[in-house]
Amino acid sequence: MPAARELLLDAAFVALAARPWSGVRMVDVAAAAGVSRQTLYNEFGGKDGLGRALVRREADAFLAGVERTLADAAARGIGDPGDHCAAVALWTLRTARTNPLVRAVLTGCRSERLPATAPAAVPAQRARPETPVLRGAPTPTAMADRITDRVAGAITTPAAPEEARRACAAAVRLTLSYVLAPGDSDEVVAVDVARLARALLADA
């Protein structure tokens, strides 16, 4: 059985799909998770802590999906760097479209429906030992760098490591531009991302 923390995050995610974050009540989240409201406060310290933990969980799950996508490509014998970048582009575009929390983390654009992505201030010491320290979600720049690190680490190319990373970074940022301002279909964007990565590596 999932731990209380995961049950509460699941319940908060479901509640957020039905109403804006301002309308999500702690008592309802605790009831939906089947735990006491005190357990919720013990785990997250309050609604802000719950919201930030939820955003961070979705960001971490997205990055785990990037790693699965790259591992699947490797298992299928895909070695072309452009194909790796295209596969991650498809995962990114599709996930950002269906998960507003992931979209907010990737772009920095947060609607009022969503919880805050970063704490206003992180105290040097916790007021009470049992109160969790609030951690915000990664910034869009940090997310782009983490995606780039994963893609660059998965590809094989005769290019120098710094050139390979630069090509992957450009491909990732092209993908993120389409998350921010959708245009062509995901498949067309993935083809363009692959072409960009190949062209940059060919010039390296």
Side-chain angles (χ1 to χ4, degrees), residues 29-56:
V29 171
V35 302
S36 70
R37 189 166 53 167
Q38 187 58 51
T39 297
L40 193 159
Y41 280 95
N42 289 345
E43 287 289 338
F44 301 105
K47 188 173 181 180
D48 285 347
L50 173 64
R52 290 178 185 115
L54 179 60
V55 173
R56 179 166 284 279

Side-chain angles (χ1 to χ4, degrees), residues 135-160:
R135 292 190 306 152
T139 64
T141 299
M143 288 295 286
D145 288 344
R146 291 177 188 184
I147 300 167
T148 298
D149 289 343
R150 285 159 173 78
V151 178
I155 65 172
T156 55
T157 174

Side-chain angles (χ1 to χ4, degrees), residues 1 11 25 29 52 56 81 116 119 126 128 132-134 160 167 172 190:
M1 180 178 175
R25 299 191 319 152
V29 171
R52 290 178 185 115
R56 179 166 284 279
R126 290 180 265 189
R128 300 189 319 261
V133 172
L134 301 181
V172 167

